[in-house]
Amino acid sequence: MIPDEPQAEDFRVIDVDDHRGQGVEVLRGYRAGELLFRMNGVLRDYVTQFTLQVGPNQHLDDPYVAGKVLHSCDPNCRLDPSTRRYLAVRDIEPGELLTMDYDLTEDYLFKAFECRCGADRCRGYVAGRLAEVPATAGV
């Protein structure tokens, strides 16, 4: 067992819908600031659909749990790349899907996409913090 790895009694990966694919559902409540889990996986020097950037040219590949955390422009958790820990940024209730802001950790996404997260301040397009957003994105 790896310390702080995701536990089956706390989270489960579910099929969300045709647009978002799979996501991580929370099975118990968490309070703001609480540790959710530590991301584990294989360190790669390239980006894939299920990697999260933890440093320059360092991408942690976890196609099983952490790589399934969905994007939101108003997320309920965040990844600290230096510790690889997911933390709740607000209280999270059982049944919610874990969400993070991909633009806060990724220089460039594996595949940019039009965002449909529904947040009041949705940016409309997610490509990574260094990517140029097309002028027509989100229109």
Side-chain angles (χ1 to χ4, degrees), residues 75-119:
N76 58 17
C77 74
R78 70 176 179 86
L79 170 66
D80 179 340
S82 65
T83 64
R84 300 179 184 173
R85 286 187 162 87
Y86 277 87
L87 303 169
V89 296
R90 63 165 175 77
D91 291 352
I92 304 172
E93 300 302 323
E96 286 189 62
L97 295 171
L98 286 183
T99 58
M100 64 180 285
D101 186 343
Y102 293 171
D103 280 347
L104 295 181
T105 60
E106 306 303 302
D107 288 345
Y108 300 96
L109 290 184
F110 178 73
K111 182 179 179 184
F113 61 92
E114 287 189 29
C115 185
R116 299 178 193 161
C117 71

Side-chain angles (χ1 to χ4, degrees), residues 17 19-20 70-75 90 99-100 113-126:
D17 57 36
H19 174 70
R20 294 178 286 178
L70 298 172
H71 168 79
S72 174
C73 295
D74 184 20
R90 63 165 175 77
T99 58
M100 64 180 285
F113 61 92
E114 287 189 29
C115 185
R116 299 178 193 161
C117 71
D120 289 341
R121 295 186 180 190
C122 178
R123 292 186 301 277
Y125 194 77
V126 182

